[in-house]
């Protein structure tokens, strides 16, 4: 006994599909050209698939698999949720999620979002969010590798890792919006890449960097000293310091987040202790600039422009000192590849090498996780000396060193 089933309106002349009870398939299968066409429905929407086969069993199995894939979409549509395209997701992400990140992170994400938008909106013709699969993500990463922004060189694996992380965040946002189920980026592993080794300056190199500023660049010299003595982040933290953030009486700098819309990377305010060298430099800086007036107005910023220029007005906050910093590094003849962020690495590394409490170091530099702080131990070899050079207090009092060495052997 057979049961005639027809789901959806088939065109005139289309062959109806008969199936046995308990062995049917969802939707409609009909002849179309040299193959078969499968028609399925989800939330009142029609989905058509053209198969290059005339085998009805193969078409029926395909219909079953696709119907399972459409089940999450069916639930979303029945719940009144909209089906949106990737371009709409990117617009919403940039408007609602990106502003919650720190300024430097926003700049980094924006570069990746530009590539993501170009691939999905232009190359893939703006697919629906729920239609994106792991294969599309893999295609994007392969495409991105040969699409550098500013040069003809192949994009590095570190950049590919960054773009994948941003794409993962975007589709994680889509999950929260219930625009899709599951994150397709999770199915694609990031490429392996060698991590960059920061340049850790010794005391002589550090002093040479400060000396390279001379007496004509007071803002730059204080900036370098603030980075090197506190380990604070450069453009998102140090250059946002205000006069009231400096507490000479207690000997602390306060890194403030959430003020006037500015957010640090971790989104948490904190206190950082000042060294004697930094405190002395800041007192001198205060005596020179604290009550300076520009166009009749005082400035709230510790680091500010002293004179008006083409793209800067006296009294305004200095946004970046990157170019001046690299110039000083060149004059100081520092190793190639040295970055201003390496001073943060140096501060954490030297504190740990001196045996400072790792939890206190974590709080001072604003790490969200202690594991991040402990990763810096590999940058200094000093803490390994204890493996072969025991402290004098560990030696037996009446035992000669030579004898102690024979006992170890």
């Amino acid at each position: 006994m057979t049961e005639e089933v027809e789901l959806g309106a088939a065109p005139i002349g289309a062959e109806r599909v008969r199936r046995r009870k308990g062995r049917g398939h969802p939707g409609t299968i009909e002849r179309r050209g040299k193959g078969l066409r499968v028609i399925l429905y989800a939330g009142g929407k029609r989905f058509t698939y053209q198969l290059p086969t005339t085998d009805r069993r193969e078409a029926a199995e395909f219909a079953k698999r696709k119907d399972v894939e459409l089940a999450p979409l069916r639930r979303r549509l029945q719940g009144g949720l909209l089906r949106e395209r990737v371009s709409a997701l990117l617009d919403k992400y940039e408007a609602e999620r990106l502003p919650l990140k720190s300024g430097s992170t926003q700049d980094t994400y924006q570069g990746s979002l530009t590539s993501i938008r170009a691939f999905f909106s232009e190359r893939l013709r703006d697919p629906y969010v729920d239609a994106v699969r792991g294969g599309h993500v893999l295609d994007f990463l392969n495409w991105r590798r040969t699409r550098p922004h500013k040069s003809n060189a192949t994009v590095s694996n570190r950049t590919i890792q960054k773009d994948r992380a941003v794409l993962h965040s975007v589709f994680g946002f889509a999950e929260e919006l219930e625009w899709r189920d599951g994150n397709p980026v999770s199915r694609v592993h990031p490429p392996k890449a060698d991590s960059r080794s920061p340049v850790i300056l010794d005391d002589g190199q550090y002093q040479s960097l400060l000396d390279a500023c001379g007496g004509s660049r007071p803002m730059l010299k204080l900036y370098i000293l603030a980075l090197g003595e506190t380990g604070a982040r450069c453009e998102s933290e140090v250059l946002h310091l205000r006069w009231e953030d400096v507490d000479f009486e207690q000997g602390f700098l306060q890194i403030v987040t959430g003020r006037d819309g500015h957010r640090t990377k971790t989104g948490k305010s904190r206190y950082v202790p000042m060294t004697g060298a930094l405190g002395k430099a800041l007192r001198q800086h205060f005596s020179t600039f604290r009550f300076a007036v520009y166009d009749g107005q005082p400035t709230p910023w510790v680091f500010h422009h002293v004179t008006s220029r083409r793209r800067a007005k006296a009294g305004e906050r200095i946004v970046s000192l990157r170019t001046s910093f690299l110039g000083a590094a060149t004059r100081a003849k520092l190793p190639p590849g040295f970055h201003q962020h390496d001073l943060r690495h140096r501060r954490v590394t030297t504190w740990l090498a001196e045996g400072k409490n790792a939890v206190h170091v974590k709080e001072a530099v604003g790490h969200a996780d202690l594991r991040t702080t402990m990763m810096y131990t590999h940058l200094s070899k000093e803490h390994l000396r204890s493996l072969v050079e025991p402290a004098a207090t560990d030696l037996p009092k009446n035992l000669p060193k030579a004898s102690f060495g024979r006992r170890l052997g």
Side-chain angles (χ1 to χ4, degrees):
M1 179 178 179
T2 62
E3 178 185 5
E4 185 176 279
V5 178
E6 182 180 5
L7 298 179
I12 298 177
E15 181 178 348
R16 291 182 174 181
V17 180
R18 297 179 181 274
R19 66 180 182 182
R20 295 179 181 177
K21 285 186 177 180
R23 297 183 61 186
H25 59 78
T28 301
I29 299 177
E30 61 186 24
R31 291 188 181 278
R32 186 71 173 180
K34 296 182 179 181
L36 296 175
R37 182 167 67 177
V38 175
I39 303 174
L40 299 172
Y41 291 87
K45 295 183 178 294
R46 170 172 169 158
F47 297 86
T48 304
Y49 307 93
Q50 183 67 31
L51 306 181
T53 180
T54 57
D55 188 333
R56 293 186 175 276
R57 291 184 179 180
E58 182 179 345
E61 291 300 320
F62 176 86
K64 293 177 183 178
R65 293 195 303 270
K66 279 297 177 182
D67 189 64
V68 172
E69 292 179 9
L70 289 174
L73 172 62
R74 187 176 292 111
R75 291 194 299 269
R76 288 196 299 274
L77 293 177
Q78 289 175 347
L81 297 176
L82 298 178
R83 193 186 191 204
E84 300 286 358
R85 296 189 179 271
V86 172
S87 60
L89 173 62
L90 293 174
D91 290 341
K92 194 173 184 64
Y93 184 87
E94 291 184 0
E96 298 181 10
R97 281 301 172 88
L98 198 58
L100 301 180
K101 303 184 181 298
S102 64
S104 57
T105 303
Q106 289 184 38
D107 293 340
T108 300
Y109 271 49
Q110 196 62 64
S112 296
L113 289 171
T114 298
S115 298
I116 293 171
R117 188 181 293 276
F119 178 81
F120 283 92
S121 295
E122 299 172 12
R123 188 176 179 86
L124 293 188
R125 298 182 180 179
D126 202 9
Y128 286 108
V129 173
D130 60 295
V132 176
R133 299 289 180 264
H136 298 127
V137 176
L138 184 60
D139 288 344
F140 164 71
L141 298 182
N142 292 332
W143 172 87
R144 180 70 178 95
R145 192 179 304 278
T146 58
R147 296 297 188 282
H149 288 308
K150 300 180 180 179
S151 66
N152 295 324
T154 303
V155 175
S156 67
N157 280 355
R158 283 176 58 85
T159 301
I160 300 299
Q161 287 179 341
K162 179 198 68 175
D163 290 346
R164 178 194 173 278
V166 175
L167 189 61
H168 188 278
S169 178
V170 169
F171 278 98
F173 181 51
E175 280 191 283
E176 294 180 25
L177 296 173
E178 298 186 7
W179 287 8
R180 65 168 294 125
D181 293 318
N183 192 326
V185 186
S186 300
R187 305 172 187 174
V188 181
H189 296 292
K192 295 182 179 180
D194 295 332
S195 58
R196 174 184 175 271
S197 297
V199 178
I200 307 300
L201 303 182
D202 58 32
D203 292 344
Q205 292 172 321
Y206 181 50
Q207 187 59 49
S208 296
L209 178 60
L210 292 170
D211 294 340
C213 299
S216 60
R217 302 177 178 87
M219 294 286 177
L220 177 61
K221 187 171 184 177
L222 181 63
Y223 174 66
I224 293 174
L225 198 61
L227 294 178
E229 299 300 301
T230 68
R233 298 177 179 89
C234 44
E235 296 176 1
S236 64
E237 293 184 350
V238 170
L239 290 182
H240 279 269
L241 286 174
R242 298 192 182 191
W243 301 119
E244 64 265 26
D245 298 334
V246 182
D247 184 351
F248 288 112
E249 182 177 351
Q250 298 294 326
F252 284 94
L253 294 179
Q254 185 178 18
I255 305 298
V256 180
T257 188
R259 182 172 56 192
D260 297 335
H262 172 68
R263 184 181 185 276
T264 61
K265 184 175 182 179
T266 59
K268 295 181 179 180
S269 299
R270 69 182 189 277
Y271 289 97
V272 184
M274 290 189 289
T275 63
L278 178 58
K280 180 180 178 180
L282 278 170
R283 288 182 185 277
Q284 183 177 355
H285 185 79
F286 265 56
S287 65
T288 305
F289 298 103
R290 176 62 179 93
F291 299 104
V293 176
Y294 304 95
D295 291 335
Q297 296 293 330
T299 178
W301 308 107
V302 173
F303 295 95
H304 60 272
H305 295 282
V306 178
T307 59
S308 296
R309 299 180 181 179
R310 180 181 177 183
R311 297 182 179 179
K313 185 178 179 181
E316 289 183 343
R317 184 179 68 86
I318 296 176
V319 177
S320 176
L321 283 168
R322 187 188 303 269
T323 301
S324 299
F325 181 93
L326 293 178
T330 300
R331 292 190 297 273
K333 298 181 180 179
L334 298 183
F338 175 67
H339 296 170
Q340 55 185 350
H341 192 74
D342 290 344
L343 289 179
R344 175 174 169 84
H345 291 287
R346 179 181 187 273
R347 177 72 281 182
V348 178
T349 300
T350 54
W351 268 338
L352 293 176
E354 292 169 359
K356 305 299 184 184
N357 188 305
V359 176
H360 295 166
V361 175
K362 166 188 172 294
E363 295 299 323
V365 298
H367 285 153
D369 194 316
L370 184 60
R371 289 176 295 182
T372 304
T373 306
M374 298 310 298
M375 288 173 59
Y376 283 79
T377 57
H378 78 282
L379 300 177
S380 172
K381 58 182 179 293
E382 297 304 319
H383 66 288
L384 299 176
R385 290 188 185 278
S386 62
L387 298 176
V388 295
E389 298 181 7
T393 55
D394 296 335
L395 299 177
K397 292 182 179 181
N398 299 323
L399 188 64
K401 288 186 177 181
S403 175
F404 182 71
R406 286 194 295 272
R407 286 184 64 186
L408 286 178

